[in-house]
């Protein structure tokens, strides 16, 4: 009875079942089909009634279909099988079939078959059990595919591993995956691999795999725990090369922290580096020299020769200041024609020598290519320089402000001498 007290029309209900349902005789003669069978296969039941249903089954699947039809008659319900059935166009659709015998049931008198069309689903899957097809697809993948033992050793690898990294297959088998990971990322990868076996989970993370020359290649690595799968009994890893993405991210990060014109660290990165230097200095009890540099009368270059000449002069000043310090020191463009240098591990005499070195490097005129001149124009640049030895406990902002004040005093003294 329905909730409204009426009797369900079983014929109407079968017509509304979303999967094809057919009834065949013990010999396979088509006795009945619901509406969805006609929709799915394009049959007109009137034209197919009484047809030997085996004529609709793909010849390669006929032994499976007949064996299933015979066995279902002696059990409560048949085993799910997969076969191909011909539609009205002559093409075959792949279906899952499960049957139940109702030969002795009045009003049925046959085997009821429930079919589920999986044609579209299988278009996205490898043919089950087709090892050759699976291997061919695996070898053609543009991404690295690996099977690892539970302890992280390489059991097998596809050609992409050799194509992208150059490692011959025979040199990789039974070796830990971490042998092919950059030194900086080994511990991270080892931790991920150690945590997965037995979890049934997957981990996705970025790392660097190294080629035969030791060069790192940024990869997005996904590792799936299939240790409990009897057909795998290990970890399955796929790695996609993300070198282009990583390079783009590096460019964006560099642009956010560096000056477009000179390529030097900008104000934001300067404060970050100086704060770190001050923190380390307090811990190690060393001095940090901060030097503020400003070009005198820089506007005259722009006014006389144009802004492109002014830009060239700023680039040259940045290059010369960089030549005055060690690789571990920082030279930043603070803004406009202002630069700041940070040098750790200095005392007052070393800081004074750095200021002298800056002055010496700036004595040589700067050669500027001016469009209206056949030869480069030589321009002498004058700098005002203020240097302080930063005290323990002050901030980067305080240190730069003090160096700026020292630069202003230097400029005033020089102007007074030339007045």
């Amino acid at each position: 009875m329905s909730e409204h007290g009426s009797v369900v029309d079983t014929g109407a209900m079968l017509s509304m079942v979303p999967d094809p349902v057919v009834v065949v005789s013990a010999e396979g003669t088509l006795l009945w089909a619901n509406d969805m069978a006609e929709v799915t296969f394009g049959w007109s039941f009137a034209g197919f009634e009484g047809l030997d249903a085996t004529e609709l089954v793909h010849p390669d699947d006929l032994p499976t279909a007949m064996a299933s039809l015979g066995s279902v008659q002696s059990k409560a319900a048949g085993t799910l099988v997969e076969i191909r059935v011909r539609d009205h166009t002559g093409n075959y659709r792949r279906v899952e079939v499960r049957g139940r015998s109702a030969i002795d049931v009045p009003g049925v008198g046959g085997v009821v078959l429930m079919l589920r069309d999986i044609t579209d689903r299988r278009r996205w899957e490898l043919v089950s059990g087709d090892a050759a097809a699976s291997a061919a697809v695996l070898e053609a993948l543009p991404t690295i595919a690996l099977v690892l033992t539970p302890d992280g050793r390489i059991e097998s690898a596809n050609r992409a591993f050799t194509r992208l990294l150059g490692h011959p297959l025979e040199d990789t088998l039974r070796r830990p995956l971490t042998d092919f990971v950059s030194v900086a990322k080994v511990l991270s990868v080892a931790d991920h691999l150690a945590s997965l076996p037995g979890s049934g989970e997957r981990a996705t993370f970025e790392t660097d795999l190294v080629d035969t020359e030791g060069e790192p290649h940024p990869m997005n690595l996904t590792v799936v725990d299939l240790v409990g799968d009897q057909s795998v009994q290990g970890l399955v890893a796929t790695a996609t090369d993300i070198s282009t993405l990583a390079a783009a991210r590096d460019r964006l990060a560099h642009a956010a922290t560096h000056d477009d014109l000179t390529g030097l660290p900008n104000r934001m990165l300067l404060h970050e580096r100086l704060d770190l230097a001050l923190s380390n200095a307090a811990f190690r009890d060393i001095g940090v020299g901060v030097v503020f540099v400003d070009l005198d009368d820089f506007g005259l270059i722009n006014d006389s020769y144009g802004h492109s000449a002014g830009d060239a002069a700023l680039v040259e000043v940045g290059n010369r200041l960089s030549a005055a310090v060690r690789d571990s020191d920082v030279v930043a463009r603070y803004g406009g024609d202002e630069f700041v240098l940070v040098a750790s591990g200095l005392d007052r005499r070393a800081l004074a020598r750095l200021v002298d070195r800056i002055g010496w490097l700036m004595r040589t005129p700067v050669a500027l290519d001016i469009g209206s001149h056949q030869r480069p124009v030589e321009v002498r640049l004058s700098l005002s320089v203020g240097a302080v030895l930063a005290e323990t406990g002050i901030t980067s902002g305080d240190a730069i402000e003090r160096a700026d004040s020292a630069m202003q005093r230097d400029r005033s003294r020089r102007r007074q001498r030339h007045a």
Side-chain angles (χ1 to χ4, degrees), residues 8 62 92 94 135 152 154 180 188 259 279 295 311 334 344 352 368 382 407 416:
V8 174
L62 193 54
Y92 286 92
R94 192 174 293 272
I154 298 175
F180 305 95
S188 172
D259 175 53
S279 177
L295 274 69
D311 289 346
Y334 197 64
S344 297
L368 302 175
S382 174
M407 182 275 295
Q416 289 174 0

mmCIF file of all heavy atoms in Angstrom, residues 8 62 92 94 135 152 154 180 188 259 279 295 311 334 344 352 368 382 407 416:
data_model
loop_
_atom_site.group_PDB
_atom_site.id
_atom_site.type_symbol
_atom_site.label_atom_id
_atom_site.label_comp_id
_atom_site.label_asym_id
_atom_site.label_seq_id
_atom_site.Cartn_x
_atom_site.Cartn_y
_atom_site.Cartn_z
ATOM 1 N N VAL A 8 0.207 0.003 -5.165
ATOM 2 C CA VAL A 8 1.202 0.403 -6.164
ATOM 3 C C VAL A 8 1.015 -0.410 -7.430
ATOM 4 O O VAL A 8 0.881 -1.637 -7.384
ATOM 5 C CB VAL A 8 2.626 0.215 -5.608
ATOM 6 C CG1 VAL A 8 3.661 0.483 -6.695
ATOM 7 C CG2 VAL A 8 2.865 1.127 -4.411
ATOM 8 N N LEU A 62 29.831 -13.461 -25.220
ATOM 9 C CA LEU A 62 28.753 -14.447 -25.222
ATOM 10 C C LEU A 62 29.000 -15.611 -24.262
ATOM 11 O O LEU A 62 28.076 -16.022 -23.533
ATOM 12 C CB LEU A 62 28.528 -14.961 -26.641
ATOM 13 C CG LEU A 62 27.248 -15.763 -26.880
ATOM 14 C CD1 LEU A 62 26.028 -14.961 -26.421
ATOM 15 C CD2 LEU A 62 27.121 -16.150 -28.354
ATOM 16 N N TYR A 92 27.987 -1.148 -29.648
ATOM 17 C CA TYR A 92 27.856 -1.887 -28.402
ATOM 18 C C TYR A 92 28.005 -0.951 -27.202
ATOM 19 O O TYR A 92 28.906 -0.106 -27.154
ATOM 20 C CB TYR A 92 28.888 -3.010 -28.322
ATOM 21 C CG TYR A 92 28.565 -4.174 -29.220
ATOM 22 C CD1 TYR A 92 29.075 -4.247 -30.523
ATOM 23 C CD2 TYR A 92 27.732 -5.202 -28.784
ATOM 24 C CE1 TYR A 92 28.765 -5.301 -31.356
ATOM 25 C CE2 TYR A 92 27.412 -6.270 -29.606
ATOM 26 C CZ TYR A 92 27.929 -6.311 -30.886
ATOM 27 O OH TYR A 92 27.607 -7.364 -31.715
ATOM 28 N N ARG A 94 28.479 -0.890 -23.003
ATOM 29 C CA ARG A 94 28.986 -1.747 -21.938
ATOM 30 C C ARG A 94 28.027 -1.658 -20.756
ATOM 31 O O ARG A 94 27.663 -0.570 -20.310
ATOM 32 C CB ARG A 94 30.392 -1.307 -21.538
ATOM 33 C CG ARG A 94 31.125 -2.291 -20.637
ATOM 34 C CD ARG A 94 32.551 -1.830 -20.418
ATOM 35 N NE ARG A 94 33.308 -1.907 -21.650
ATOM 36 C CZ ARG A 94 33.970 -2.969 -22.078
ATOM 37 N NH1 ARG A 94 33.905 -4.104 -21.379
ATOM 38 N NH2 ARG A 94 34.651 -2.940 -23.201
ATOM 39 N N ALA A 135 49.878 -0.682 -19.085
ATOM 40 C CA ALA A 135 51.307 -0.387 -19.192
ATOM 41 C C ALA A 135 51.566 0.679 -20.241
ATOM 42 O O ALA A 135 52.393 1.575 -20.043
ATOM 43 C CB ALA A 135 52.071 -1.664 -19.525
ATOM 44 N N GLY A 152 59.552 3.067 1.371
ATOM 45 C CA GLY A 152 59.924 4.195 0.519
ATOM 46 C C GLY A 152 60.942 3.918 -0.554
ATOM 47 O O GLY A 152 61.495 4.857 -1.147
ATOM 48 N N ILE A 154 62.054 2.520 -4.368
ATOM 49 C CA ILE A 154 61.414 2.503 -5.680
ATOM 50 C C ILE A 154 61.311 1.074 -6.195
ATOM 51 O O ILE A 154 62.316 0.396 -6.406
ATOM 52 C CB ILE A 154 62.186 3.380 -6.684
ATOM 53 C CG1 ILE A 154 62.186 4.834 -6.211
ATOM 54 C CG2 ILE A 154 61.570 3.280 -8.077
ATOM 55 C CD1 ILE A 154 63.025 5.756 -7.080
ATOM 56 N N PHE A 180 66.722 10.733 -4.547
ATOM 57 C CA PHE A 180 66.505 11.584 -5.708
ATOM 58 C C PHE A 180 65.819 12.904 -5.328
ATOM 59 O O PHE A 180 65.285 13.602 -6.179
ATOM 60 C CB PHE A 180 65.660 10.838 -6.748
ATOM 61 C CG PHE A 180 66.263 9.513 -7.138
ATOM 62 C CD1 PHE A 180 65.867 8.343 -6.505
ATOM 63 C CD2 PHE A 180 67.249 9.440 -8.104
ATOM 64 C CE1 PHE A 180 66.429 7.119 -6.844
ATOM 65 C CE2 PHE A 180 67.827 8.221 -8.453
ATOM 66 C CZ PHE A 180 67.414 7.062 -7.817
ATOM 67 N N SER A 188 61.654 16.398 4.869
ATOM 68 C CA SER A 188 60.216 16.584 4.672
ATOM 69 C C SER A 188 59.609 15.390 3.941
ATOM 70 O O SER A 188 58.566 14.865 4.351
ATOM 71 C CB SER A 188 59.954 17.871 3.890
ATOM 72 O OG SER A 188 58.600 17.978 3.546
ATOM 73 N N ASP A 259 63.432 46.261 -6.028
ATOM 74 C CA ASP A 259 63.205 47.455 -6.826
ATOM 75 C C ASP A 259 63.214 47.106 -8.310
ATOM 76 O O ASP A 259 64.125 46.406 -8.783
ATOM 77 C CB ASP A 259 64.307 48.482 -6.507
ATOM 78 C CG ASP A 259 64.215 49.709 -7.368
ATOM 79 O OD1 ASP A 259 63.138 50.320 -7.419
ATOM 80 O OD2 ASP A 259 65.233 50.051 -8.011
ATOM 81 N N SER A 279 68.682 41.256 15.303
ATOM 82 C CA SER A 279 68.384 40.147 16.212
ATOM 83 C C SER A 279 69.600 39.240 16.381
ATOM 84 O O SER A 279 69.946 38.844 17.500
ATOM 85 C CB SER A 279 67.193 39.352 15.670
ATOM 86 O OG SER A 279 66.928 38.234 16.484
ATOM 87 N N LEU A 295 72.011 60.842 -3.148
ATOM 88 C CA LEU A 295 72.711 61.549 -4.232
ATOM 89 C C LEU A 295 72.426 63.040 -4.117
ATOM 90 O O LEU A 295 71.274 63.455 -3.945
ATOM 91 C CB LEU A 295 72.245 61.044 -5.605
ATOM 92 C CG LEU A 295 72.960 59.816 -6.169
ATOM 93 C CD1 LEU A 295 72.613 58.573 -5.364
ATOM 94 C CD2 LEU A 295 72.611 59.614 -7.630
ATOM 95 N N ASP A 311 67.775 57.305 -14.635
ATOM 96 C CA ASP A 311 67.618 55.887 -14.280
ATOM 97 C C ASP A 311 68.937 55.143 -14.412
ATOM 98 O O ASP A 311 69.293 54.326 -13.558
ATOM 99 C CB ASP A 311 66.561 55.241 -15.170
ATOM 100 C CG ASP A 311 65.152 55.699 -14.848
ATOM 101 O OD1 ASP A 311 64.955 56.306 -13.781
ATOM 102 O OD2 ASP A 311 64.251 55.444 -15.669
ATOM 103 N N TYR A 334 66.210 52.651 -1.084
ATOM 104 C CA TYR A 334 65.228 53.033 -0.077
ATOM 105 C C TYR A 334 64.088 53.845 -0.678
ATOM 106 O O TYR A 334 62.981 53.849 -0.164
ATOM 107 C CB TYR A 334 65.922 53.845 1.022
ATOM 108 C CG TYR A 334 65.130 53.954 2.290
ATOM 109 C CD1 TYR A 334 64.837 52.824 3.048
ATOM 110 C CD2 TYR A 334 64.670 55.191 2.733
ATOM 111 C CE1 TYR A 334 64.104 52.923 4.220
ATOM 112 C CE2 TYR A 334 63.937 55.298 3.898
ATOM 113 C CZ TYR A 334 63.659 54.157 4.645
ATOM 114 O OH TYR A 334 62.923 54.254 5.794
ATOM 115 N N SER A 344 76.882 43.553 8.764
ATOM 116 C CA SER A 344 76.991 42.998 10.119
ATOM 117 C C SER A 344 78.444 42.704 10.469
ATOM 118 O O SER A 344 79.315 42.550 9.593
ATOM 119 C CB SER A 344 76.171 41.708 10.230
ATOM 120 O OG SER A 344 74.803 41.964 10.032
ATOM 121 N N ALA A 352 83.889 53.005 9.346
ATOM 122 C CA ALA A 352 84.502 54.189 8.716
ATOM 123 C C ALA A 352 85.202 53.806 7.418
ATOM 124 O O ALA A 352 85.146 54.549 6.424
ATOM 125 C CB ALA A 352 85.482 54.837 9.691
ATOM 126 N N LEU A 368 77.056 58.227 -19.231
ATOM 127 C CA LEU A 368 75.640 58.086 -19.566
ATOM 128 C C LEU A 368 75.440 58.226 -21.064
ATOM 129 O O LEU A 368 75.939 59.178 -21.683
ATOM 130 C CB LEU A 368 74.813 59.154 -18.847
ATOM 131 C CG LEU A 368 74.908 59.164 -17.316
ATOM 132 C CD1 LEU A 368 74.129 60.353 -16.758
ATOM 133 C CD2 LEU A 368 74.394 57.866 -16.737
ATOM 134 N N SER A 382 77.877 63.226 -6.694
ATOM 135 C CA SER A 382 78.275 63.524 -5.324
ATOM 136 C C SER A 382 77.271 62.874 -4.378
ATOM 137 O O SER A 382 76.053 62.933 -4.606
ATOM 138 C CB SER A 382 78.298 65.043 -5.109
ATOM 139 O OG SER A 382 78.541 65.342 -3.757
ATOM 140 N N MET A 407 73.309 61.323 7.775
ATOM 141 C CA MET A 407 73.499 61.749 6.386
ATOM 142 C C MET A 407 73.152 63.226 6.223
ATOM 143 O O MET A 407 73.858 63.980 5.540
ATOM 144 C CB MET A 407 72.622 60.894 5.463
ATOM 145 C CG MET A 407 72.772 61.200 3.976
ATOM 146 S SD MET A 407 71.723 62.571 3.405
ATOM 147 C CE MET A 407 70.107 61.862 3.665
ATOM 148 N N GLN A 416 78.351 73.732 4.036
ATOM 149 C CA GLN A 416 78.965 74.856 4.751
ATOM 150 C C GLN A 416 80.390 75.066 4.310
ATOM 151 O O GLN A 416 80.859 76.220 4.175
ATOM 152 C CB GLN A 416 78.898 74.610 6.264
ATOM 153 C CG GLN A 416 77.483 74.722 6.853
ATOM 154 C CD GLN A 416 77.441 74.334 8.301
ATOM 155 O OE1 GLN A 416 78.461 73.969 8.913
ATOM 156 N NE2 GLN A 416 76.230 74.395 8.885
#
